[in-house]
Amino acid sequence: MFTKKLISAAVATGALALSTLAHAGYVQTPITINPQGDSVSASGSQFTAAGMQSNLFSTLNIAGNTGSGVAFTETGHIDVTSFQDAAANAIAGTGLGTGWSLSANINLSGTGSWSGGTYTADNAGFNFTINLVATNLSTATTVNLGQASVIPGTVVGFAIAFGSLAPLTTGSALTSLSANMAFTPAAGTQGTFFIAPNPFNVVFAVGNAGGNSLNTGYSVDASGNVTVTTPIPGTTNSGTANVTFATAVPEPGALSLVGLALVGAAVVGRRRKATQATA
């Protein structure tokens, strides 16, 4: 029964993760990175990537095992393992893992509701930040690359499925997160590390982020508070977090306004020419 619940939750949240980018007015946009910019690395060639894959390590605390408006916090980090092209193939020659590493601290908080053994976060008041940091593996120096945060008003998918939630229970869990996040590059990194697009108005579309019953465990204390850990304590099997790079697509209304502005400019131009001709 528990396995079926996990599979159902995985299908539902996975579908949401895949649809987040398409339904929210964003389009996949490759970015160009120079790993030798800002002294991040002494090796690795400039490359263009459509996304990145990473390992997830986190601890999630939920303040109760029933009801709605139940607060949660999650802290942890991700370690980027590879950059991907548009066909989801790993890109070679980036120097990642040999000349430099890329990681990020993650922080989430908000409230959510329980429905049986599933906890779903509320969109209202959902906070999620990613602080991206590169490390030069030769010098051990770190470079702050910027921060991503959830775009206000966008739909976030964050759900966790459990077995029994009785006090003093332990077991396996499945977590899944999808969100669109606006990334702000750190001062001085645009044009040196982040080459394109310029300006670097990029969205991090996070999808398939979380853990499964093989790498994520939970425990319920005597008061009903739930703690979820990825990986399971004493193991090294991490979760995953995938990011697709994107940019916003103008709303149809905005495009119409631009079109009207262009038409207006053309009309004004013609009138000026006509006036000059009669003068």
Side-chain angles (χ1 to χ4, degrees):
M1 178 66 71
F2 179 44
T3 303
K4 290 182 179 179
K5 287 182 179 178
L6 290 180
I7 292 174
S8 297
V11 170
T13 53
L16 179 57
L18 291 173
S19 64
T20 299
L21 184 61
H23 290 176
Y26 302 96
V27 60
Q28 184 175 352
T29 304
I31 68 172
T32 301
I33 289 175
N34 175 18
Q36 297 190 45
D38 295 306
S39 301
V40 168
S41 175
S43 63
S45 303
Q46 181 169 301
F47 62 92
T48 299
M52 59 188 183
Q53 291 187 335
S54 59
N55 293 330
L56 171 69
F57 306 82
S58 72
T59 299
L60 167 68
N61 295 294
I62 306 173
N65 57 358
T66 60
S68 59
V70 181
F72 76 90
T73 59
E74 182 174 6
T75 58
H77 70 277
I78 60 173
D79 293 332
V80 177
T81 56
S82 67
F83 286 93
Q84 311 287 309
D85 61 20
N89 298 311
I91 298 172
T94 64
L96 187 68
T98 54
W100 62 297
S101 65
L102 186 61
S103 61
N105 294 323
I106 62 171
N107 291 276
L108 297 89
S109 64
T111 60
S113 301
W114 287 99
S115 177
T118 301
Y119 177 85
T120 303
D122 302 323
N123 273 278
F126 186 93
N127 298 299
F128 179 22
T129 58
I130 296 175
N131 295 289
L132 200 62
V133 176
T135 301
N136 185 312
L137 297 181
S138 297
T139 64
T141 56
T142 59
V143 179
N144 174 33
L145 296 176
Q147 183 182 83
S149 56
V150 171
I151 299 172
T154 58
V155 175
V156 175
F158 185 37
I160 308 101
F162 302 87
S164 171
L165 289 165
L168 305 181
T169 296
T170 62
S172 298
L174 182 147
T175 65
S176 184
L177 167 67
S178 62
N180 290 328
M181 310 181 71
F183 179 74
T184 302
T189 60
Q190 186 167 303
T192 52
F193 182 84
F194 297 113
I195 305 302
N198 192 357
F200 200 77
N201 298 324
V202 172
V203 171
F204 283 7
V206 179
N208 300 322
N212 56 45
S213 60
L214 300 179
N215 57 29
T216 301
Y218 75 94
S219 61
V220 185
D221 69 15
S223 299
N225 300 311
V226 183
T227 299
V228 184
T229 53
T230 305
I232 296 172
T235 70
T236 58
N237 186 10
S238 64
T240 59
N242 301 325
V243 174
T244 298
F245 305 128
T247 52
V249 176
E251 295 293 334
L255 290 174
S256 298
L257 290 175
V258 171
L260 288 173
L262 291 175
V263 170
V267 170
V268 170
R270 291 194 189 99
R271 286 178 178 175
R272 284 178 179 171
K273 289 181 179 179
T275 302
Q276 291 171 358
T278 57

